[in-house]
């Protein structure tokens, strides 16, 4: 018998067991202390992601797979993961997950040029990760061109990708708008769009009657040498650059907004009959007995939508949202359709409307004018008194509007004015408020940014700027349109096998932008609660917006929050609408002025037919059309915003040297931006003009602080300024800080007029 197995040697066996247990404990402790190295973690992460390239992992899932339970090891893991992301070996995708990134050396995208000369190339599907292009690496590319870019590896610790334009794949900038300057045998056109940083050379034979100082449309025919100017011809002379109406027109044309309609389009529109064919009355649901009404701005002529409300015997309410059936008149493949698609949307400039459709359609045949039978596409809903939708249907209909209300007239009825349609209008208001409350409770974001209205004289010069009042009547229409849009989208989107469709989508905001917003609002003493993956819930964002209501910093923080948001766009890939807190959303309610709504009407009519075989729709072609409409929408918004800004600057030209009260909207190392309260326009106080002290910029606190006086300027501060300069050409306003007036109020133009009247009154000065 072996001495170890001998029962009499128990003490020996116990000793060996103790030694074995001690060795195991030491080994375990040793393993715990031996942290994996950074290269080991790096190889392990890349191995997992490369072998599962179709999957995306949360950081905690990766750490668990790597068995990194120790805190120090987990910290090292995060450092390595961040480094891999910076090097673009892994990619962070929606939800804060990570996946393997196969990064090409060359990519295609759209170049967006900054007025200072550099630019960024936007890659389709990667909106949050642009490629930086220096001016020296721009080549012959112009703003808006589709380009091929060669990528450079980012420097260690730098997230920004840099590249060089290798080739212009598509010259999207084929013309420009600018001011004509002759130089004898040639001329230069200086573009109005600051993103076109090159003047355009025009030979004498291509002047086309243009004279010095004219606004012109010029072609871009050739641009082969980055050291030379683009060459072109004057296509159209718009008029003197000093004419206010020419200035607005030139601004719109510089955004590629199409103005006049081609002759073929106008002729096609004129051939459309005013009368509704008898067969359409028979084919459609006839709702001409309903008390239908419209509510629109006082100067509107294109009435897209109408409502009717009717109490039902069961206590519920029948609500009809009736939309002009443009798809009946504008057929695919027609000249009208192609022109509408190219425009994408109507453009609402400060002094005019540039419609998507000719006036025969937009203001007459399709417009839901009172006292006329009209073809419509309707969402008919049954709502409970608490505004819950019980059932609904989408039908082709014919209506007869009883009344056209302006927003002000509808508001007067809501406030108590008597009218034959007072009951349905007030009922609509009650339901709209309930719909709005439910939407807010679900997490919709309530941006309430002020809207500027500019009043012009007969020559186009600004004479008054004021804040448009947002009425309950506006919310009434908005809520029913939102509801109709949502129901239409879910009708298709909730199908088991949803066919290709046009959705209006709004992605969650980028985590980095939200982190910056949270840091920004902390300066004001507010807290923005972030989620685990670094983004923010719409409810948390709404809480922040509610907290700042009524404070001096309200417009500043609202604007900052809006800039942190992703841009809403059209797509066949539904990801929901973050801002509205809707899982399904589309645009159905404005086909007279938006092409996507027209596409939605056509798709609905195809998909809702009771046919054995569903029609085939090319998803790729539909997505391309969505992208085009999103681009045209962006251009229209820029044109509209810039036209208002132009008139604001022209208005301020009349008030150079005068004092205004304002709120600091942002602070940079080169100056302080101030929004003037009376006119809602922003100007800049340059640091070079702040000569009462030496000011240093605190980037972390967004503050300029005087080194000796301790005086500071930060967003939200109420200040008084003098207008130093207003330049319509650059649309910039220069300001200078002044000490507050004795009465604590800045003598604004309105107060100055009152003072002058008092001074001129009989007995003044006694």
């Amino acid at each position: 018998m072996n001495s170890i197995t001998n029962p009499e040697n128990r003490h020996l066996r116990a000793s060996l067991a103790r030694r074995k247990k001690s060795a195991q404990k030491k080994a375990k402790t040793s393993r715990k202390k031996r942290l994996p190295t950074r290269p080991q973690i790096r190889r392990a992460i890349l191995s997992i992601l490369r072998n599962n390239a179709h999957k995306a992992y949360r950081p905690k899932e990766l750490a668990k797979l790597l068995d990194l339970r120790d805190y120090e090891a987990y910290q090292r893991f995060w450092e390595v993961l961040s480094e891999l992301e910076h090097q673009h070996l892994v990619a962070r995708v929606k939800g804060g997950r990570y996946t393997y990134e196969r990064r090409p050396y060359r990519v295609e995208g759209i170049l967006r040029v900054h007025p200072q000369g550099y630019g960024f190339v936007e890659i389709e599907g990667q909106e949050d990760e642009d490629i930086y292009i220096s001016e020296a690496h721009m080549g012959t590319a112009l703003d808006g061109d589709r380009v091929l870019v060669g990528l450079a590896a980012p420097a260690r610790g730098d997230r920004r990708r840099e590249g060089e334009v290798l080739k212009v794949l598509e010259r999207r900038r084929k013309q420009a708008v600018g001011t004509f300057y002759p130089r004898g045998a040639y001329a230069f056109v200086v573009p109005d769009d600051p993103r076109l940083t090159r003047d355009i050379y025009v030979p004498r034979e291509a002047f086309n009657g243009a004279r010095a100082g004219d606004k012109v449309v010029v072609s871009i025919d050739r641009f082969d040498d980055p050291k030379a100017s683009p060459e072109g011809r004057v296509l159209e002379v718009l008029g003197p650059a000093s004419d206010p109406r020419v200035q607005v027109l030139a601004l719109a044309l510089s955004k590629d907004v199409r103005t006049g309609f081609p002759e073929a389009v106008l002729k096609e529109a004129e051939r459309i009959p005013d009368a509704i064919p008898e067969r359409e009355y028979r084919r459609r649901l006839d709702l001409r007995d309903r008390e239908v009404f419209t509510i629109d701005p006082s100067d509107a002529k294109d009435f897209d939508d109408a409502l009717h409300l009717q109490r039902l015997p069961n206590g519920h309410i029948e609500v009809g949202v009736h939309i002009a059936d443009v798809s009946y008149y504008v057929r695919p493949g027609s000249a009208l359709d192609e022109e509408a698609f190219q425009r994408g949307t109507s453009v609402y400039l400060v002094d005019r409307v540039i419609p998507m459709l000719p006036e025969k359609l937009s203001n007459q045949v399709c417009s839901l004018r009172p006292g006329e039978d009209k073809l419509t596409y309707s969402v008919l809903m049954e709502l409970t008194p608490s505004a819950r939708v019980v059932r609904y249907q989408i039908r082709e209909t014919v209506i007869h509007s009883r009344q056209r209300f302006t927003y002000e007239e509808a508001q007067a009825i809501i406030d108590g004015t008597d009218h034959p349609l007072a009951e349905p209008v007030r009922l609509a208001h009650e339901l709209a408020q309930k719909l709005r409350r439910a939407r807010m409770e679900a997490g919709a974001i309530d941006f309430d940014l002020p809207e500027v209205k500019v009043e012009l004289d007969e020559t186009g010069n600004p004479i008054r700027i004021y804040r448009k009042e947002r009425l309950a009547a506006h919310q009434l229409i908005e809520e029913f349109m939102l509801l109709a849009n949502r129901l239409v989208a879910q009708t298709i989107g909730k199908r088991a096998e949803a066919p290709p469709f046009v959705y209006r989508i709004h992605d969650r905001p980028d985590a980095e932008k939200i982190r910056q917003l949270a840091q920004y609002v902390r300066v004001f003493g507010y807290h923005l609660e972030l989620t685990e993956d670094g983004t923010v819930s719409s409810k948390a964002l709404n809480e922040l917006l509610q907290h700042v209501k009524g404070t001096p910093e309200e417009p500043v923080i609202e604007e900052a929050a809006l800039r942190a948001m992703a841009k809403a766009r059209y797509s066949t890939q539904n990801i929901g609408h973050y801002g509205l807190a809707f899982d399904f959303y589309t645009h159905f309610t404005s086909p007279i002025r938006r092409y996507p709504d027209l596409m939605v009407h056509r798709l609905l009519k195809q998909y809702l037919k009771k046919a054995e075989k569903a029609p085939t729709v090319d998803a790729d072609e539909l997505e391309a059309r969505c992208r085009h409409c999103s681009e045209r929408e962006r251009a229209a918004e820029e044109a509209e915003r810039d036209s208002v800004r132009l008139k604001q600057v022209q208005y301020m030209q009349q008030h150079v040297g005068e004092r205004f009260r304002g709120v600091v909207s942002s602070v940079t190392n080169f100056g302080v931006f101030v929004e003037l309260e009376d006119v809602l326009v922003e100007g800049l106080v340059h640091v070079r003009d702040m000569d009462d002290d030496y000011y240093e910029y605190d980037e972390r606190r967004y503050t300029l602080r005087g080194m000796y006086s301790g005086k500071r300027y930060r967003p939200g501060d109420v200040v008084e300024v003098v207008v130093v300069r207003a330049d319509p050409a650059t649309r910039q306003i220069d300001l200078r800080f002044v000490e507050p007036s004795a009465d604590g109020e800045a003598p604004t133009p309105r107060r100055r007029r009152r003072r002058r009247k008092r001074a001129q009154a009989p007995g003044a000065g006694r």
Side-chain angles (χ1 to χ4, degrees), residues 260-543:
F261 287 94
E263 190 65 27
V265 173
L266 293 174
K267 286 181 177 178
E268 198 172 274
E270 287 305 317
R271 286 197 296 268
I272 293 174
D274 294 325
I276 297 173
E278 189 60 35
R279 66 177 181 277
E280 286 302 312
Y281 284 106
R282 294 194 301 268
R283 193 178 69 82
R284 293 169 178 258
L285 179 64
D286 192 340
L287 298 175
R288 286 176 293 171
D289 61 334
R290 304 297 201 272
E291 292 185 324
V292 174
F293 58 89
T294 61
I295 304 178
D296 290 279
S298 57
D299 56 353
K301 295 183 177 65
D302 54 341
F303 309 139
D304 277 292
D305 53 82
L307 289 174
H308 90 261
L309 290 92
Q310 181 174 296
R311 293 190 183 275
L312 299 174
N314 62 0
H316 292 175
I317 302 102
E318 177 184 275
V319 177
V321 174
H322 311 289
I323 309 301
D325 192 357
V326 178
S327 63
Y328 173 79
Y329 297 100
V330 180
R331 301 303 173 95
S334 64
L336 271 169
D337 182 53
E338 181 57 29
E339 183 67 19
F341 169 68
Q342 292 301 329
R343 293 175 180 235
T345 178
S346 295
V347 184
Y348 293 81
L349 301 173
V350 69
D351 64 348
R352 76 197 78 185
V353 177
I354 300 176
M356 183 180 79
L357 297 169
E359 186 176 334
K360 170 72 181 288
L361 286 160
S362 61
N363 294 359
Q364 298 175 37
V365 176
C366 295
S367 185
L368 307 184
R369 302 191 297 188
E372 298 178 10
D373 291 355
K374 294 292 179 180
L375 299 181
T376 48
Y377 207 12
S378 304
V379 181
L380 304 170
M381 301 166 275
E382 183 179 331
L383 272 65
T384 65
S386 62
R388 181 174 60 85
V389 178
V390 176
R391 60 181 61 86
Y392 71 94
Q393 58 177 322
I394 303 168
R395 297 287 298 274
E396 292 176 86
T397 54
V398 57
I399 65 164
H400 186 97
S401 176
R402 296 286 196 276
Q403 180 73 47
R404 181 263 164 131
F405 293 112
T406 65
Y407 282 114
E408 292 74 19
E409 290 168 345
Q411 186 62 46
I413 293 172
I414 292 170
D415 294 338
T417 300
D418 195 23
H419 190 277
L421 294 180
E423 183 184 357
V425 170
R426 289 174 189 152
L427 180 58
H429 166 66
E430 292 172 12
L431 289 174
Q433 292 303 306
K434 292 172 183 176
L435 287 168
R436 181 175 175 80
R437 280 195 295 273
R439 199 162 54 81
M440 293 300 123
E441 288 170 5
I445 302 172
D446 184 18
F447 283 112
D448 191 21
L449 294 172
E451 189 176 350
V452 177
K453 180 70 175 176
V454 182
E455 189 177 320
L456 306 174
D457 63 16
E458 62 279 358
T459 63
N461 287 306
I463 56 176
R464 180 181 171 224
I465 297 176
Y466 58 95
R467 189 187 303 252
K468 284 177 71 173
E469 185 181 2
R470 183 156 174 77
L471 306 171
H474 290 94
Q475 294 180 358
L476 184 161
I477 291 299
E478 181 180 86
E479 291 304 324
F480 283 112
M481 297 307 112
L482 289 173
L483 179 58
N485 286 333
R486 180 163 61 90
L487 293 176
V488 166
Q490 72 182 36
T491 298
I492 304 301
K494 281 190 173 182
R495 289 186 174 188
E497 294 184 11
F501 195 62
V502 176
Y503 297 96
R504 179 69 169 178
I505 63 171
H506 186 219
D507 205 352
R508 294 174 65 84
D510 176 65
E512 179 62 22
K513 290 182 179 178
I514 287 299
R515 186 192 65 77
Q516 292 173 359
L517 176 64
Q519 183 179 340
Y520 180 76
V521 301
R522 201 176 296 129
V523 174
F524 300 91
Y526 297 104
H527 172 69
L528 180 61
E529 186 176 347
L530 304 184
T531 59
E532 284 186 8
D533 58 4
T535 57
V536 65
S537 69
S538 53
K539 285 188 177 181
L541 195 57
N542 235 354
E543 286 178 8

Side-chain angles (χ1 to χ4, degrees), residues 499-741:
F501 195 62
V502 176
Y503 297 96
R504 179 69 169 178
I505 63 171
H506 186 219
D507 205 352
R508 294 174 65 84
D510 176 65
E512 179 62 22
K513 290 182 179 178
I514 287 299
R515 186 192 65 77
Q516 292 173 359
L517 176 64
Q519 183 179 340
Y520 180 76
V521 301
R522 201 176 296 129
V523 174
F524 300 91
Y526 297 104
H527 172 69
L528 180 61
E529 186 176 347
L530 304 184
T531 59
E532 284 186 8
D533 58 4
T535 57
V536 65
S537 69
S538 53
K539 285 188 177 181
L541 195 57
N542 235 354
E543 286 178 8
L544 170 68
L545 297 176
Q546 291 303 315
H547 285 152
V548 303
K549 287 285 185 191
T551 65
E553 60 267 21
E554 177 187 355
V556 176
I557 290 181
E558 279 196 338
E559 186 65 36
L562 191 62
R563 286 198 302 269
M565 295 292 100
K567 290 185 182 298
R569 56 191 174 89
Y570 300 105
S571 178
T572 58
Q573 304 299 315
N574 181 45
I575 59 170
H577 198 294
Y578 173 81
L580 295 174
F582 290 161
D583 293 330
F584 299 91
Y585 190 64
T586 190
H587 274 171
F588 166 81
T589 53
S590 295
I592 291 178
R593 62 184 180 90
R594 290 189 307 224
Y595 194 82
D597 302 55
L598 179 54
M599 290 197 291
V600 165
H601 281 219
R602 289 171 177 163
L603 290 169
L604 274 175
K605 289 183 179 182
Q606 290 184 50
Y607 296 151
L608 298 183
K609 282 180 181 176
K610 293 181 171 61
E612 293 182 6
K613 186 178 179 182
T616 302
V617 174
D618 188 326
D620 291 338
E621 182 184 344
L622 192 61
E623 181 64 29
R625 286 182 159 249
C626 287
R627 281 198 303 272
H628 169 80
C629 290
S630 297
E631 289 173 5
R632 295 319 306 156
E633 177 187 49
R634 186 194 299 186
E637 287 174 349
E638 288 179 0
E640 292 163 11
R641 186 171 57 245
D642 287 354
S643 72
V644 171
R645 173 75 182 182
L646 173 65
K647 294 303 174 184
Q648 288 175 312
V649 176
Q650 289 176 346
Y651 179 81
M652 295 311 297
Q653 271 188 306
Q654 307 165 26
H655 300 285
V656 171
E658 298 181 7
R659 295 167 65 122
F660 288 85
R661 179 185 172 94
V663 176
V664 174
S665 54
S666 63
V667 177
T668 69
N669 60 349
F670 56 82
V672 179
F673 286 94
V674 178
E675 183 176 279
L676 307 183
E677 288 183 351
D678 276 3
V679 291
L680 301 172
V681 64
E682 191 178 65
L684 173 66
V685 181
H686 292 270
V687 167
R688 65 171 181 262
D689 296 327
M690 298 168 63
D691 52 10
D692 61 328
D693 202 342
Y694 179 79
Y695 285 88
E696 292 183 323
Y697 179 54
D698 185 340
E699 186 175 5
R700 194 164 59 86
R701 294 183 173 84
Y702 306 95
T703 302
L704 273 178
R705 184 185 297 273
M707 180 179 288
Y708 304 106
S709 64
K711 186 186 294 184
R712 68 177 188 176
Y713 295 98
R714 71 168 194 172
D717 287 347
V718 178
V719 295
E720 288 192 17
V721 293
V722 164
V723 180
V724 176
R725 188 173 71 98
D727 184 2
T730 59
R731 296 191 286 278
Q732 292 179 351
I733 298 171
D734 291 339
L735 308 170
R736 181 168 50 83
F737 286 123
V738 294
E739 293 301 319
S741 54

Side-chain angles (χ1 to χ4, degrees), residues 102-172:
R102 290 185 172 88
R103 180 64 63 186
Y105 295 106
R106 296 183 177 189
V107 294
E108 296 179 11
I110 304 299
L111 176 66
R112 305 295 180 191
V113 178
H114 190 276
Q116 293 183 5
Y118 61 85
F120 293 90
V121 171
E122 299 175 351
I123 310 301
E124 186 181 322
Q126 301 178 31
E127 288 81 2
D128 297 327
E129 197 173 357
D130 300 335
I131 300 166
Y132 173 80
I133 309 291
S134 68
E135 187 173 8
H137 292 147
M138 202 80 69
T140 59
L142 299 172
D143 178 71
D145 288 347
R146 179 172 288 277
V147 295
L148 177 67
V149 176
L151 297 178
R156 184 179 178 84
D158 187 3
R159 291 193 63 181
R160 186 180 67 186
R161 287 191 291 168
E162 295 190 23
E164 178 181 2
V165 174
L166 302 177
K167 184 179 180 182
V168 176
L169 300 173
E170 180 187 355
R171 178 74 73 196
R172 292 192 168 186

